[in-house]
């Protein structure tokens, strides 16, 4: 379909014209690399954006070590990364106001007549394309454009989605090399194939930052526009990975859209192997909003990791199979230390290639982040420039040594516990799915849903997370975040919930669904669990998946019995788990649970267009169970009131 003049101009170019553009703009070697992929649609796409963005130079990267090395070196040469004391480790800064995903300027471009509901950020497609093409015009003057090919999901698999990334950021191109499976050979193999995802990114004009690095200058022109119809995403005037790394959260939006049409799922989930008795390994998925412990869970001691952020789920032979869309980690570094996250700590010290972003660089080119082992340095250089303790920003706010969203990027091969099935084309069989957010007072630490439908509705679709106020551990606002996927939904929430319900509806043995809560507090705001308790909840979920342990039936779901947890705490952590702690943690909090149902009912009635009606029925049934229990036992009910089953 032709939507406006720019489209009209480029859509009708002949293959010959396209090749001529490429021949003139690319060096002989790069032209040859590109033409070896026999894909006219790909050539047309690249020619269009080379012409529009007008880079000084184009580099086409194959999967060869030499090409990858070229990009690594370009990142240093261009001032996007600086080498640190440890060989292969580099630092990248994003601009002071470019430290996170820009939700306000991330928009779906919608053809006339399509609507996504009030919660999703969207604009008219023609208008959006016009605006973004204006921003892109000549934006790469003076820059080199990198053309990169990758695959989402394992290669040679039903899950594979080939992608092409155009970017003038060697940091983005380098990051993708650590995070995604190579795709040049796959594109060559596929030939004239049209269903690939396309990403166009430019960091735009740059300005100096600390250590001689350069950061995006025109933040007011920062845009992330998602064209679902053409499966193309545009990103401009930003460097932060969540806005720029095409295959990460940008591709996730396209993949959710595709999955919805084709009957599979794209989820914001970790994938991990949990060891059960007698050498058994069972796979669990976990959905958590950002900064709620997803990466830490995926990387607990004693278990294996398949992925920490994005999973694709497909039904195969009556089972649910999952893969990691990625093969590396772009993880939050704050509070990573040798005690709390020993596996990540070790990998950060052993990996032969890491990009650190927005941490403090100390004298002698070491790095420091908040919560790292050791003393806070007195000075250094960070995303704010030269830094000393107590430094304030323009608003008078104290600047911490590292940004709270500072990250590390490495290939998962740096990890000692990477699962052997990471790249298996059939993925792993899913035994259970856990949903969790920051919740100070409602959910128990772990609970199984009564069924797929009950789990999707009262756990996944009811997920909320509290924003953490900086002051004294006080609890902030609860934000609604269905399946932790709200920021990435390209389809109306109601439709997405329905897709989830349908996915498990006809399976003979769907994965069990759980909620977990690592953030439960007592009335003095102290956490009721330490960080390692999650290892026990994982073990309990694994046993439940094989019906090897019983559970207690409460109005909201099935919870562990004390004796089982006591044993698992001892076996897993060597700790004595007291009945007092158990009762505190697993008390059913009726008023808070009822308030949650009221909140969610209201949200689904007012903020979600066309919610599946079953949602209200399941909420109402849960409300009645809670009211009945309250009549009998009061507001706060210890597990012993309920029966084992
Ligand atoms: C998240 O915020 O969920 C992340 C990092 O995984 S980002 O790439 O910014 O999305
Ligand atoms: Mn994420």
């Amino acid at each position: 379909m032709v939507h406006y003049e720019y489209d009209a101009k480029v859509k009708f170019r002949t293959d010959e014209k396209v090749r001529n553009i490429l021949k003139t703009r690319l060096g002989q070697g790069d032209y040859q690399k590109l033409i070896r992929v026999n894909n006219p649609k790909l050539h047309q796409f690249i020619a269009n954006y080379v012409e529009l963005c007008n880079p000084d130079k184009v580099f086409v990267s194959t999967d060869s070590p030499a090409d990858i090395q070229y990009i690594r070196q370009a990142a240093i040469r261009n001032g996007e990364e600086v080498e640190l004391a440890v060989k292969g480790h580099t630092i990248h800064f994003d601009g002071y106001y470019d430290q996170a995903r820009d939700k306000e300027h991330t928009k779906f471009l919608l053809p006339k007549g399509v609507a996504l509901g009030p919660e999703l950020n969207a604009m008219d497609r023609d208008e959006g394309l016009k605006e973004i093409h204006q921003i892109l015009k000549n934006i790469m003057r003076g820059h080199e454009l990198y053309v990169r090919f990758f695959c989402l999901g394992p290669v040679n698999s039903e899950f594979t989605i080939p992608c092409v990334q155009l970017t003038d950021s060697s940091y983005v191109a380098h990051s993708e090399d650590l995070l995604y499976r190579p795709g040049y050979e796959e594109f060559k193999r596929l030939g004239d194939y049209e269903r690939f995802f396309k990403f166009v990114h430019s960091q735009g004009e740059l300005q100096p930052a600390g250590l001689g690095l350069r950061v995006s200058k025109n933040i007011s022109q920062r845009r992330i526009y998602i064209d679902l119809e053409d499966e193309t995403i545009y990103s401009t005037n930003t460097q932060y990975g969540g806005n720029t790394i095409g295959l990460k959260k940008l591709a996730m939006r396209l993949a959710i859209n595709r999955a919805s049409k084709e009957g599979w799922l794209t989820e914001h989930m970790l994938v991990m192997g949990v060891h059960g008795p007698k050498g058994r390994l069972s796979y669990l998925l976990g959905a958590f909003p950002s900064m709620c412990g997803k990466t830490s869970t995926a990387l607990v001691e004693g278990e294996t990791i398949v992925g920490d952020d994005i999973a694709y789920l497909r039904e195969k032979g009556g089972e649910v199979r999952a893969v990691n869309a990625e093969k590396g980690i772009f993880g939050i570094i704050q509070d990573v230390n040798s005690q709390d996250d020993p596996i990540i700590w070790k990998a950060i010290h052993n990996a032969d290639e890491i990009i650190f972003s927005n941490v403090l660089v100390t004298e002698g080119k070491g790095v420091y982040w908040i919560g790292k082992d050791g003393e806070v340095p007195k000075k250094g250089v960070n995303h704010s420039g030269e830094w000393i303790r107590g430094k304030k920003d323009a608003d008078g706010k104290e600047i911490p040594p590292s940004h709270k969203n500072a990250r590390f990027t490495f290939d998962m091969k740096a990890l000692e516990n990477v699962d052997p099935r990471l790249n298996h084309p059939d993925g792993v069989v899913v035994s259970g799915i856990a949903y969790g957010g920051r919740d100070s007072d409602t959910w128990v630490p772990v609970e199984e849903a009564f069924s797929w439908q009950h789990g999707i509705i009262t756990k996944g679709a009811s997920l909320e997370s509290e924003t953490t106020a900086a002051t004294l551990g006080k609890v902030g606002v609860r934000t609604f975040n269905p399946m932790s996927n709200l920021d990435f939904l390209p389809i109306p929430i109601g439709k997405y919930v329905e897709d989830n319900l349908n996915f498990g509806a006809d399976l003979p043995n769907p994965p069990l669904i759980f909620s977990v809560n690592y953030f439960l507090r007592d009335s003095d705001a102290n956490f009721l669990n330490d960080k390692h308790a999650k290892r026990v909840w994982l073990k309990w979920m694994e046993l439940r998946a094989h019906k090897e342990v019983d559970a207690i039936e409460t109005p909201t779901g099935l919870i562990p019995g004390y004796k089982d947890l006591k044993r698992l705490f001892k076996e897993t952590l060597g700790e004595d788990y007291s009945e007092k702690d158990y009762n505190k943690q697993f008390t059913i909090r009726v008023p808070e649970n009822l308030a949650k149902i009221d909140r969610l009912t209201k949200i689904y009635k007012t903020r979600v267009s066309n919610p599946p009606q079953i949602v209200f029925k399941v909420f109402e049934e849960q409300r009645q169970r809670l009211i009945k229990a309250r009549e009998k036992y009061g507001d706060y009910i210890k597990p012993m009131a309920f029966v084992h089953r």
Side-chain angles (χ1 to χ4, degrees), residues 467-509:
T467 54
T468 43
T471 48
L472 297 171
K474 267 203 179 160
V475 171
V477 196
R478 269 181 246 259
T479 50
F480 168 59
N481 195 346
M483 286 76 171
S484 79
N485 225 351
L486 183 63
D487 286 355
F488 315 108
L489 291 187
I491 52 174
I493 298 168
K495 168 79 176 124
Y496 172 67
V497 172
E498 198 176 300
D499 288 344
N500 268 266
L501 287 168
N502 290 342
F503 184 74
D506 297 326
L507 297 175
N509 290 304

Side-chain angles (χ1 to χ4, degrees), residues 101 248-249 268 290 294 308-310 488:
R101 277 187 275 114
K248 201 166 187 65
K249 292 311 194 318
H268 194 201
S290 309
K294 186 148 57 72
D308 85 315
D309 200 29
I310 302 166
F488 315 108

Side-chain angles (χ1 to χ4, degrees), residues 76-275:
I76 312 283
R77 197 171 57 235
N78 297 347
E80 288 187 71
E81 292 173 36
V82 164
E83 288 174 306
L84 293 165
V86 178
K87 191 169 170 288
H89 293 195
T90 57
I91 172 77
H92 164 81
F93 291 144
D94 300 302
Y96 192 75
Y97 298 101
D98 192 23
Q99 293 285 320
R101 277 187 275 114
D102 180 354
K103 294 191 203 182
E104 197 187 329
H105 296 101
T106 301
K107 294 184 187 173
F108 294 102
L109 305 182
L110 299 184
K112 306 256 178 303
V114 180
L116 296 180
E119 293 291 308
L120 277 45
N121 202 359
M123 73 185 289
D124 176 73
R125 181 174 186 263
D126 290 356
E127 235 172 79
L129 286 177
K130 199 164 178 177
E131 183 192 350
I132 202 74
H133 281 113
Q134 259 153 20
I135 295 176
L136 285 169
K137 197 167 168 73
N138 294 324
I139 199 170
M140 295 187 188
R141 231 182 232 158
H143 296 191
E144 181 168 10
L145 166 64
Y146 306 96
V147 180
R148 298 227 58 184
F149 304 94
F150 295 101
C151 290
L152 288 163
V155 293
N156 282 321
S157 151
E158 192 182 0
F159 290 97
T160 318
I161 302 176
C163 302
V164 60
Q165 169 87 58
L166 310 187
T167 178
D168 62 2
S169 163
S170 39
Y171 159 72
V172 168
H174 180 199
S175 299
E176 288 182 330
D177 192 54
L178 297 172
L179 295 171
Y180 303 101
R181 293 144 178 124
Y184 178 75
E185 292 302 324
E186 183 72 3
F187 266 88
K188 262 174 56 186
R189 192 179 70 77
L190 288 168
D192 187 2
Y193 177 85
E194 302 213 339
R195 299 195 71 219
F196 53 91
F197 290 170
K198 304 176 274 307
F199 307 100
V200 182
H201 166 250
S202 173
Q203 51 191 344
E205 209 180 319
L206 298 169
Q207 65 182 11
L211 299 173
L213 289 166
R214 299 190 305 157
V215 298
S216 292
K217 184 177 172 192
N218 302 324
I219 294 298
S220 67
Q221 297 282 85
R222 179 169 58 199
R223 298 287 181 276
I224 297 99
Y225 282 0
I226 300 143
D227 182 7
L228 297 171
E229 194 172 301
D230 228 5
E231 298 194 309
T232 304
I233 299 187
Y234 307 90
S235 161
T236 61
N237 296 299
T238 171
Q239 290 168 304
Y240 171 69
N243 295 325
T244 59
I245 298 173
L247 280 89
K248 201 166 187 65
K249 292 311 194 318
L250 311 191
M252 185 159 157
R253 297 174 172 102
L254 299 178
I256 295 171
N257 192 51
R258 237 193 221 189
S260 175
K261 290 192 177 128
E262 297 176 352
W264 51 283
L265 296 176
T266 296
E267 295 298 319
H268 194 201
M269 286 180 181
L270 66 85
V271 183
M272 68 186 296
V274 178
H275 293 282

